[in-house]
Amino acid sequence: MNDKRIKYMLNAAGLLICALWLVPLVWMVITAFKPDTAQAAPFLIPSVTLDNFKDVLHHPQANVGLWILNSTVVAVLTTAGVLILCTLAAFAFSRLQFAGKTLWFILIMAGLMIPREATLIPLYILFKDMNLLNTYFSIIAPSLAAPFGLIIMKQFFDGLPEQLFEAAKLDGCGLFRTLFVIAIPLTKPALASLGIFIFLAGWNDFLWPFLSVTDPKMVTIPIGLPVFRSQYLTGQGLTMAASALLSAPIIIVFIWFQKYIVKGIAMTGIKG
């Protein structure tokens, strides 16, 4: 078998995998635009309607706008916090020398081996004793510890040429000026890709917000969707319209920053 035929087979396999991955998304969109009377019809849309979306937006007991606002606040603040903390910590581990550096790094990396579910009960008791449940802080704070982000940023800082930092030192640059003026501008792809990963995780997080939030005013999208489905479901169209509507912001963000994601993954060597 020649190389050309192998290349065609690999491309065909890739297209098949992409098509299979898109099936649930396409089915969600098609069902969202189907009228209730046509839900049992075949896969293709016999007629198109926006009634499902209107019902979602105007439902008196489903505050979609508040859910989007809460999810946006949580995702944005989590992303900003993780980027700041991981950048500072990664630069310190990459370029500074301090006592116990290797030990501290190993302890932080050990956090990757601890299942998140194992920390839920201690976190819940801690925030309950501090009367911090049902706050943005209680939702965001546990996500700020991100060893994965530290690894990505440290890899980038390690890859920067040592001569660059020596020249900055000879020119009289202090530590923070070296970080913010020289190092950070060179790590934009890593910051962008890490920011997207953290934003997606914060937007889609369900388990911890579900445990820490009981106030309807603090409900985020992942918590609101199951409640909406269980209490107000009148057909698949309504559920799929809600899912499509609430997924739209994160899809737009992903498309907007996709070039940075690809570049960041390529430069860090991360494979899905």
Side-chain angles (χ1 to χ4, degrees):
M1 187 177 295
N2 55 40
D3 293 341
K4 193 173 182 180
R5 182 170 294 181
I6 293 174
K7 183 179 179 181
Y8 284 141
M9 292 178 65
L10 291 175
N11 289 336
L15 290 174
L16 178 61
I17 293 172
C18 291
L20 291 174
W21 182 84
L22 286 173
V23 167
L25 184 63
V26 173
W27 182 76
M28 177 184 72
V29 174
I30 290 177
T31 306
F33 285 99
K34 276 184 180 179
D36 287 339
T37 54
Q39 290 299 330
F43 193 69
L44 296 176
I45 307 178
S47 60
V48 176
T49 180
L50 295 177
D51 290 345
N52 293 323
F53 291 94
K54 293 178 182 176
D55 292 341
V56 170
L57 292 174
H58 296 97
H59 202 290
Q61 300 181 49
N63 198 337
V64 175
L66 181 62
W67 298 351
I68 294 176
L69 175 64
N70 288 337
S71 287
T72 302
V73 171
V74 169
V76 169
L77 293 182
T78 301
T79 303
V82 169
L83 290 182
I84 293 172
L85 292 176
C86 287
T87 300
L88 295 175
F91 186 77
F93 278 110
S94 177
R95 295 294 166 182
L96 302 181
Q97 298 298 328
F98 52 89
K101 176 180 173 180
T102 303
L103 176 61
W104 282 112
F105 189 73
I106 292 174
L107 288 175
I108 293 174
M109 292 303 101
L112 290 171
M113 305 174 193
I114 300 175
R116 189 188 182 197
E117 290 75 10
T119 64
L120 292 178
I121 294 177
L123 281 174
Y124 182 84
I125 294 174
L126 176 65
F127 283 108
K128 182 181 179 182
D129 292 343
M130 296 171 68
N131 292 320
L132 289 175
L133 295 176
N134 291 310
T135 62
Y136 286 128
F137 182 80
S138 68
I139 303 174
I140 295 170
S143 300
L144 297 181
F148 174 72
L150 176 59
I151 293 175
I152 291 179
M153 295 308 301
K154 185 177 182 299
Q155 272 190 287
F156 265 76
F157 287 132
D158 288 344
L160 296 178
E162 184 66 30
Q163 295 81 359
L164 194 66
F165 294 96
E166 291 177 355
K169 189 175 181 180
L170 290 175
D171 288 341
C173 284
L175 187 61
F176 285 99
R177 190 179 175 192
T178 302
L179 171 62
F180 290 105
V181 177
I182 297 176
I184 288 181
L186 295 174
T187 58
K188 284 182 180 178
L191 288 171
S193 57
L194 176 60
I196 290 295
F197 290 135
I198 300 300
F199 189 88
L200 290 172
W203 185 275
N204 295 324
D205 193 14
F206 170 77
L207 186 55
W208 171 245
F210 180 73
L211 294 175
S212 62
V213 170
T214 55
D215 188 348
K217 295 181 180 178
M218 294 301 300
V219 168
T220 58
I221 290 174
I223 305 175
L225 270 179
V227 171
F228 178 87
R229 186 181 185 283
S230 61
Q231 292 187 1
Y232 313 122
L233 178 66
T234 58
Q236 289 184 349
L238 192 64
T239 305
M240 293 304 158
S243 300
L245 187 66
L246 298 176
S247 300
I250 197 66
I251 293 175
I252 293 173
V253 170
F254 182 83
I255 294 174
W256 188 268
F257 290 100
Q258 61 174 327
K259 66 177 182 180
Y260 295 106
I261 297 174
V262 174
K263 190 173 181 180
I265 291 174
M267 294 183 71
T268 54
I270 300 170
K271 296 180 180 178

